[in-house]
Amino acid sequence: MNKIARRSFLSRTIKMGVLLPVMASPAKLLAANGNDQIATDIPDRVILTITPDPSTSITINWRNSNQTEASIVEYTIADAHPEFVANVNKVNATAKPFKYDKINTVNNRVTISNLTPDTLYDYRVGKENAWSEWFQFRTAKSNTATAKLSFIYLGDAQVGIKPLWSRVIRKAYATMPDAQLIIHAGDLVNRANEDNEWADWFAAGGYIHASTPTLMTPGNHEYTHEDGKPHLSVFWNEQFALPTNGPDDTLLKGSCYYTDIQGVRIISLNTQMIEEAPNEGCIGRQVAWLHQVLKQNNQQWTCVVMHHPIYSTKKGRDNKKAREHLKPIFDQYGVDLVLQGHDHAYARGMNKVSLTNGAADSRSGTVYVVSVSGSKMYETEPMEWADVIGSHLQVYQTINIDNNMLSFKAYLATGELFDAFDLVKAKGKQNELINKK
Ligand SMILES: [Fe+2]
């Protein structure tokens, strides 16, 4: 149906009064208010996803209606002269129809390679008469032996996404506008296959999703259990094209992968496929892969992103399987930072965490962080492992790495500094943690 035909269909429908009864439905009301649930020719849900080498490549994902002809990406090195639009590179999108429930759209993706490191690019997606705006993003610097990286980390958005999570991602972006990466540690939404919630997640982030490369890992809420077994959201791998350098297991596609960016290896793990793995083989493949990725790691710093925390913020919220499988590996290879979600509270600890199978006074040197960015909150209690714990607060984090120094800051949704520490790396020694607040 072309645009004019659709318009006349809509006006007929309105005249017939057909839309009036559905205006009372909250979901439909959102659509009527302009929330981008209904895909059109104009691209929406534009998001940059991380690649294994963000200094030379980027992946762009977006959605449009199933009536849309082939879409493309136009891109070029950014230029303040608006005339740049006349001389750009063009790449055809890979378009995949997406049909689920009442949804009938097209998901598009393009990975652009051979980009110049540390360079600002302009791009837009769509087709003639149906373009997105021009977005800008910067490629990472070439990987060097000395780390230098700034990024944002967000815990569960999950609930209150549009009304209350929006202010958090926006404040985070305002605090660190040149972040080279935004990390989401799972439970982006509450109901894995609910299009309204994904619409809210994209609306809340808006152009931030399209301007800063994103690295996300799924949480338990990105899974459904229709037949009693966990199934990853039908949206996940359709709307996010994530690196394919993970284990050879379809159950781990789009959730286990890594990237090397400016001296930092960032690894996404899938703890749902440990806590609720349908078979031991799946756990074994993830664990074996993690060993390899850490053994062959030539980056100065190592950061793991996963959903279920190794240590929780309340007794009884224990992820024993994840801890037993992963903690010894983090210890063995000296992972520096583990960014987690799931507990709907804030906590971090290092100095009271001992080495697995080590002496009582042995210390691992790994900082474990739990955080939450959405509005769902759980109670906490004093936990032996935690140096800092906080509850009923929406929080975002910025991380700055400069050579052997990592500066971690946790801010409240209001922008007030809530927690801060430095982590100092010295060769052959355990990391030293310095409290800054
Ligand atoms: Fe969770």
Side-chain angles (χ1 to χ4, degrees), residues 156 158 185-187 189 219-222 272 307-309 317 341-344 376 378:
D156 307 29
Q158 194 180 335
D187 285 3
V189 296
N220 52 308
H221 282 268
E222 269 77 51
Q272 181 72 0
H307 184 63
H308 297 78
R317 286 187 62 78
H342 192 58
D343 276 358
H344 299 274
K376 183 181 181 183
Y378 287 164

Side-chain angles (χ1 to χ4, degrees), residues 94-226:
T94 303
K96 196 169 166 200
F98 179 65
K99 290 187 183 177
Y100 173 75
D101 196 14
K102 290 172 190 152
I103 303 161
N104 187 6
T105 60
V106 172
N107 288 317
N108 304 274
R109 57 187 52 172
V110 166
T111 297
I112 308 174
S113 304
N114 301 317
L115 297 172
T116 306
D118 193 19
T119 301
L120 191 71
Y121 280 88
D122 281 318
Y123 78 94
R124 67 174 179 174
V125 299
K127 58 168 188 162
E128 211 51 47
N129 300 319
W131 291 109
S132 69
E133 64 270 50
W134 288 93
F135 297 105
Q136 297 194 145
F137 73 95
R138 181 172 287 279
T139 48
K141 294 182 183 68
S142 291
N143 232 334
T144 55
T146 304
K148 192 163 177 57
L149 180 69
S150 301
F151 62 99
I152 290 166
Y153 146 54
L154 299 171
D156 307 29
Q158 194 180 335
V159 171
I161 299 169
K162 192 169 175 198
L164 284 161
W165 181 70
S166 48
R167 63 179 183 153
V168 178
I169 185 169
R170 292 169 196 182
K171 197 73 180 163
Y173 184 70
T175 304
M176 190 183 260
D178 294 325
Q180 282 140 321
L181 191 64
I182 300 182
I183 287 174
H184 302 271
D187 285 3
L188 283 59
V189 296
N190 194 39
R191 290 166 296 172
N193 290 341
E194 200 49 60
D195 188 58
N196 295 341
E197 296 190 15
W198 288 112
D200 283 357
W201 190 85
F202 279 101
Y207 70 85
I208 301 168
H209 293 313
S211 309
T212 307
T214 305
L215 187 157
M216 60 275 284
T217 198
N220 52 308
H221 282 268
E222 269 77 51
Y223 281 80
T224 56
H225 297 82
E226 298 91 345

Side-chain angles (χ1 to χ4, degrees), residues 365-392:
T366 304
V367 180
Y368 292 90
V369 189
V370 177
S371 190
V372 58
S373 57
S375 66
K376 183 181 181 183
M377 296 290 159
Y378 287 164
E379 300 303 324
T380 59
E381 55 192 316
M383 300 295 285
E384 265 175 25
W385 70 276
D387 299 327
V388 175
I389 201 156
S391 54
H392 289 270

Side-chain angles (χ1 to χ4, degrees), residues 247-249 251-252 273 277-289 325:
D248 186 14
D249 188 328
L251 293 174
L252 302 173
M273 284 297 101
N279 56 68
E280 288 299 311
C282 179
I283 299 177
R285 280 183 282 281
Q286 181 168 189
V287 163
W289 172 81
H325 282 286

Side-chain angles (χ1 to χ4, degrees), residues 59-73:
T59 298
I60 308 167
N61 314 255
W62 72 95
R63 183 189 83 146
N64 50 23
S65 70
N66 67 334
Q67 314 296 338
T68 304
E69 308 127 41
S71 294
I72 64 169
V73 170

